[in-house]
Amino acid sequence: MPHADSSLLPDYVKTKRDFWEHVNLQANGLMNDSLSWVTNLANVSSLVYHSLMDFDQFGLQERSPRPIVNWCGFYIDSCLFPPNSTLPTGVEDPNRILTLGPFCGRPACQLIKAKKGGGVCADAYLSRETLVVRDVDAYPGHIACDGDTKSEIVIPIKIQIQDKDTQRTEEIVLGVMDLDSIVLGAFDEEDVNGLEQLVKSVSVSCKW
Ligand code: SME
């Protein structure tokens, strides 16, 4: 199958649960071919965005000038980018920056300070919890990369590492996956489940 066809939805996909099951299967297939986080995040952004375009509940609709989901991509801890290209530590650092990674959609802000109250991505990153924001205008600190965005979901990317000296396992957060929508309350529990599963696969499929 040509790679592009992985983002075409088969007829049996009717519900959000079907949708995320299908997208997760396709993502795992694509990530089988690569350990590079840049490559995998690029293909996962494209897969999710274009699959959403093909899905009635999220894509382009007659009554809407833009797709319901208008942005899908990643912000990654700047430690992972050159010239450092190292894993972040598990220690909270107020100077930490999230850098725009692979995405699909219109251009977005490039750097986000990982400070509490510094936006949805920063808060999800620091709290290590998925954040579903029904109305971004009511969210303190929300960063408006696109004035049309009305709701948002952000999922932290976490991995387990073992400390060389103590041998203790530690969880570190590498960045976040972010989806934006032009309608209020676009994302629900099914999206949380599907996307958390996807982000978990991304975190273990890449060499960071
Ligand atoms: N709204 C995000 C910023 C990223 S864009 O939505 C692509 C935030 O508040 O962190």
Side-chain angles (χ1 to χ4, degrees):
M1 177 176 80
H3 285 70
D5 290 0
S6 61
S7 66
L8 300 177
L9 295 185
D11 288 344
Y12 76 81
V13 173
K14 301 276 186 246
T15 65
K16 279 193 179 184
R17 186 171 296 190
D18 302 336
F19 175 82
W20 289 118
E21 261 177 36
H22 175 75
V23 169
N24 269 286
L25 264 178
Q26 299 303 318
N28 289 333
L30 289 168
M31 289 190 291
N32 262 339
D33 293 342
S34 172
L35 284 176
S36 155
W37 67 262
V38 175
T39 304
N40 285 336
L41 268 45
N43 253 347
V44 167
S45 310
S46 172
L47 171 72
V48 173
Y49 188 79
H50 288 94
S51 301
L52 288 165
M53 293 307 110
D54 208 18
F55 187 49
D56 285 350
Q57 293 183 44
F58 281 126
L60 266 175
Q61 299 187 353
E62 267 174 39
R63 61 186 161 81
S64 148
R66 295 183 68 184
I68 299 297
V69 173
N70 55 322
W71 201 88
C72 161
F74 294 89
Y75 283 90
I76 300 296
D77 195 308
S78 47
C79 300
L80 279 151
F81 287 82
N84 298 327
S85 306
T86 55
L87 285 177
T89 66
V91 181
E92 241 183 67
D93 174 356
N95 296 318
R96 196 158 275 176
I97 301 281
L98 298 175
T99 298
L100 180 63
F103 72 95
C104 278
R106 290 186 179 169
C109 59
Q110 285 155 221
L111 303 175
I112 295 177
K113 271 194 183 168
K115 63 172 175 94
K116 201 161 177 263
V120 191
C121 292
D123 288 346
Y125 177 83
L126 290 172
S127 68
R128 302 171 177 226
E129 300 284 346
T130 297
L131 288 182
V132 180
V133 179
R134 209 196 115 62
D135 176 1
V136 293
D137 291 333
Y139 190 91
H142 169 257
I143 300 169
C145 294
D146 181 335
D148 285 349
T149 296
K150 296 276 187 296
S151 61
E152 181 162 359
I153 181 169
V154 180
I155 308 95
I157 306 168
K158 302 180 262 191
I159 56 166
Q160 308 286 327
I161 54 163
Q162 203 169 37
D163 186 286
K164 279 194 200 97
D165 301 323
T166 64
Q167 302 296 309
R168 278 175 51 187
T169 304
E170 187 190 9
E171 182 187 76
I172 57 172
V173 190
L174 304 171
V176 297
M177 183 174 191
D178 180 14
L179 273 71
D180 292 343
S181 170
I182 62 163
V183 301
L184 286 169
F187 304 106
D188 62 19
E189 210 45 41
E190 290 292 353
D191 304 309
V192 172
N193 294 337
L195 283 162
E196 284 185 345
Q197 195 187 334
L198 179 67
V199 168
K200 200 169 187 181
S201 304
V202 168
S203 72
V204 298
S205 301
C206 299
K207 185 164 164 42
W208 297 94

